[in-house]
Amino acid sequence: MFSGTALVEGLRQRLEEVHGRMAAACRRSGRASDAVTLVAVTKSVSAQVAAVLHRLGVVELGESRPQELWRKAAALPPTVHWHLVGHLQRNKIDRTLPLIQLIHSVDSLRLLDALDQEAVKQDRNISVLLEVNASEEAQKHGFAAGEISALLPHLQRLQKVRLAGLMTMAAQVADPQDCRPTFAALHALTERVAVPPPHDLHHLSMGMSNDFEVAIEEGATIVRLGTVLFEGIPGDRP
Ligand SMILES: *Cc1c(COP(=O)(O)O)cnc(C)c1O
């Protein structure tokens, strides 16, 4: 059963643990502890639970489905910065654009162009990351790592969309150390390719509950965490 105090205390404790693990990974790799931003992915919990986490100080919240993001954005205070981390269908761009801080999951040039067109129409600037299918699994969305440099000239056509980095999901593996080469390769890619300004590849969104410490050690600037924050926490489900 839902118990308000247990929920708040449970989340507070989880958050403390996660921040501690993030800070330790930063220390191990000689990075400043504020070099990495936590995006709490709230797809497995209700708006109420997400709101409690926000009251505990988490500003950056993420959803993988646009409709669920619309629903939670309507229920939570406007102080939340929303991140879309999953696939965006073009017919959902118009409603999603006004709500979000960052789209992590631009997975085609068609989507990039459609976003820019709508951003011009709404006279709104939007930052995006390109999703790289670094593990090259067929069922995943995203560009192959080898495609990224070839699509950079295309960025000069964009008026309102600004590229701010890359995102990836590592393969599901039992030992997170196995994700290290994937993360390291993506980091190396951001340093290798020249990006036409005002675009840049500053952000690396990589690392989920299973592998975020390895991702931080390999240069992640954003980790996207759900399970490690919410699994087993008292409270309802969406
Ligand atoms: C669900 C999801 C996450 C969070 O995953 P956990 O393993 O629960 O931490 C991160 N990124 C994306 C794209 C997701 O869909």
Side-chain angles (χ1 to χ4, degrees), residues 36 86 131 157 218:
V36 186
E131 181 169 354
R157 295 217 301 265
E218 294 301 333

Side-chain angles (χ1 to χ4, degrees), residues 39-44 63-65 84-87 104-105 131 167-169 172 205 207-212 223-230:
V39 171
V41 179
T42 52
K43 69 186 177 204
S44 66
E63 280 289 330
S64 58
R65 292 176 47 238
L84 183 71
V85 301
H87 182 62
H104 292 229
S105 41
E131 181 169 354
M167 177 271 226
T168 201
M169 292 170 78
Q172 290 278 359
S205 170
M208 298 167 46
S209 291
N210 190 46
D211 53 28
F212 70 98
V223 293
R224 310 177 309 270
L225 306 181
T227 309
V228 71
L229 287 169
F230 299 117

Side-chain angles (χ1 to χ4, degrees), residues 190-204:
T190 64
E191 305 204 316
R192 195 167 61 237
V193 299
V195 184
H199 307 282
D200 65 57
L201 294 181
H202 171 75
H203 279 297
L204 261 180

Side-chain angles (χ1 to χ4, degrees), residues 1-13 52 56 232-235:
M1 276 315 293
F2 170 67
S3 147
T5 312
L7 172 61
V8 175
E9 285 316 308
L11 279 178
R12 194 197 304 281
Q13 198 177 335
V52 172
L56 288 170
I233 286 291

Side-chain angles (χ1 to χ4, degrees), residues 7-176:
L7 172 61
V8 175
E9 285 316 308
L11 279 178
R12 194 197 304 281
Q13 198 177 335
R14 283 295 173 84
L15 198 54
E16 218 169 276
E17 284 165 18
V18 165
H19 277 142
R21 289 172 62 184
M22 287 174 64
C26 285
R27 273 196 304 277
R28 280 196 299 279
S29 47
R31 305 181 62 201
S33 62
D34 62 0
V36 186
T37 300
L38 165 67
V39 171
V41 179
T42 52
K43 69 186 177 204
S44 66
V45 295
S46 66
Q48 183 191 13
V49 171
V52 172
L53 194 72
H54 182 55
R55 282 202 297 277
L56 288 170
V58 179
V59 175
E60 317 293 325
L61 300 184
E63 280 289 330
S64 58
R65 292 176 47 238
Q67 294 103 312
E68 184 60 19
L69 191 150
W70 304 343
R71 206 174 66 77
K72 285 209 179 78
L76 270 76
T79 44
V80 172
H81 294 167
W82 285 103
H83 296 246
L84 183 71
V85 301
H87 182 62
L88 177 59
Q89 299 84 358
R90 279 173 299 141
N91 64 2
K92 303 204 169 67
I93 292 174
D94 56 346
R95 278 193 69 179
T96 306
L97 209 51
L99 303 175
I100 47 181
Q101 181 83 6
L102 182 65
I103 305 177
H104 292 229
S105 41
V106 171
D107 52 13
S108 71
L109 281 182
R110 241 175 125 197
L111 176 59
L112 196 62
D113 285 336
L115 273 168
D116 196 52
Q117 220 170 52
E118 183 63 28
V120 167
K121 199 165 129 196
Q122 296 188 16
D123 193 21
R124 195 178 284 286
N125 295 303
I126 177 74
S127 292
V128 305
L129 309 180
L130 299 177
E131 181 169 354
V132 177
N133 183 355
S135 55
E136 307 211 344
E137 287 168 284
Q139 75 273 21
K140 287 204 177 134
H141 291 286
F143 299 96
E147 287 179 285
I148 297 294
S149 59
L151 59 83
L152 294 177
H154 186 89
L155 298 173
Q156 279 157 334
R157 295 217 301 265
L158 302 174
Q159 298 178 59
K160 288 289 192 181
V161 171
R162 193 178 75 83
L163 177 64
L166 303 177
M167 177 271 226
T168 201
M169 292 170 78
Q172 290 278 359
V173 292
D175 182 355

